[in-house]
Amino acid sequence: MARQARINLREVFRGLQDQMEAKLTLNRKVIGHPGAKGSATELEWTSMLSTYLPRRYCADKAFVLDCKGYLSDEIDIVIYDRQYSPFILHQNGVAFIPAECVYAIIEVKQTLSRTNIRYAQNKAASVRRLHRTSLPIQHAGGVHPARKPAHILAGIVALDGKLAKGNRDLLSGSTEHEMLNFGCSLKGGIYFQLPEIHPWQKNTPPYKLTVSEDSNGLVNFFMNLVSELQKVGTVGAMDMAAYLK
């Protein structure tokens, strides 16, 4: 009997991480303007997520808005679902996404530093403060009742940097609006997450923080991101009438 072919998934993902590191390192070396460098880095991460996330998820740089007219800060990467939203606005290359559609937001930085962690936490809070509606969902067997929106996931990704003790305390002790569920540093070999955050219940600090330090930061980041998205399932149906008002 012929032997069944096998593939080493760790090596495949390690190759993907090597590619990301090479691209981001080259961007850092050859692009002098900070804004252009940041944009190029964001595009690399967005492209990677758009390629490897399941097709139900979209990933874009965007502002998030709510039915009351409030707007978030500009977010480097918004992971969202278009199933129950008939409108995602695009104006002059900028997307405006209803808060009800959002699963996760990610801040992209060159270095995993305290300043950048605080910056990402503020970005997360600007999205989580927005109002989200929810309606019953019609299906073939009847009607699903309106569901409480799940907590929006938030994270930070970087090319390099480590997590000092003070930064770990910052991550585990933040407010629920500011919390970062996950983050990674490719060259730093760091991946962190808050593994016990409930998608719908209130979460109170200090949160349990787990940190891994090895060469698989991107693998850990991506696989745990997908796992957290699976916990949420599908976003609820938005109330279009609330936006029309």
Side-chain angles (χ1 to χ4, degrees):
M1 180 181 295
R3 295 181 61 184
Q4 187 173 5
R6 300 187 66 184
I7 184 171
N8 188 322
L9 288 176
R10 183 173 295 276
E11 287 187 2
V12 171
F13 275 101
R14 181 63 214 181
L16 176 61
Q17 178 162 327
D18 290 343
Q19 290 176 12
M20 283 288 293
E21 284 186 25
K23 290 177 181 178
L24 298 180
T25 300
L26 182 62
N27 288 343
R28 176 183 283 183
K29 288 180 178 178
V30 303
I31 302 176
H33 188 276
K37 184 185 301 182
S39 296
T41 302
E42 291 160 17
L43 284 173
E44 292 292 351
W45 281 100
T46 302
S47 176
M48 186 277 290
L49 291 172
S50 297
T51 300
Y52 292 101
L53 281 175
R55 290 300 181 191
R56 67 181 296 179
Y57 302 109
C58 302
D60 278 308
K61 185 183 186 75
F63 291 93
V64 182
L65 57 90
D66 69 13
C67 64
K68 298 182 178 181
Y70 291 104
L71 198 66
S72 74
D73 295 340
E74 188 172 30
I75 306 300
D76 291 340
I77 303 175
V78 179
I79 298 174
Y80 63 99
D81 191 328
R82 298 192 63 164
Q83 180 169 351
Y84 295 114
S85 173
F87 76 95
I88 305 293
L89 303 178
H90 289 269
Q91 294 293 321
N92 300 320
V94 180
F96 295 85
I97 299 171
E100 290 87 346
C101 304
V102 177
Y103 290 106
I105 59 170
I106 300 172
E107 187 66 20
V108 179
K109 290 295 182 185
Q110 293 294 315
T111 302
L112 187 63
S113 64
R114 185 177 186 85
T115 297
N116 289 336
I117 288 172
R118 285 294 301 135
Y119 187 78
Q121 288 177 329
N122 290 334
K123 289 289 191 80
S126 79
V127 173
R128 289 176 172 145
R129 281 194 291 262
L130 298 175
H131 178 71
R132 287 181 289 166
T133 62
S134 183
L135 287 179
I137 298 174
Q138 303 284 338
H139 62 95
V143 179
H144 283 304
R147 188 180 72 169
K148 177 182 178 182
H151 295 302
I152 293 173
L153 300 167
I156 181 172
V157 292
L159 176 58
D160 57 28
K162 296 288 188 180
L163 271 182
K165 181 182 184 306
N167 292 340
R168 298 185 187 209
D169 294 340
L170 179 62
L171 290 165
S172 63
S174 64
T175 68
E176 194 170 32
H177 273 168
E178 294 177 332
M179 77 163 69
L180 298 181
N181 301 79
F182 48 77
C184 77
S185 162
L186 298 186
K187 285 189 172 181
I190 292 287
Y191 173 76
F192 73 82
Q193 66 171 327
L194 305 180
E196 297 181 355
I197 299 302
H198 195 283
W200 289 278
Q201 296 177 5
K202 182 174 178 58
N203 298 282
T204 305
Y207 317 111
K208 178 182 178 182
L209 173 70
T210 61
V211 181
S212 63
E213 298 188 39
D214 55 39
S215 61
N216 301 299
L218 182 63
V219 182
N220 294 330
F221 159 73
F222 182 78
M223 299 305 289
N224 282 290
L225 169 61
V226 173
S227 177
E228 290 298 314
L229 291 171
Q230 288 175 336
K231 290 179 186 177
V232 173
T234 303
V235 293
M238 62 186 292
D239 184 356
M240 285 302 304
Y243 280 85
L244 291 172
K245 291 176 183 177

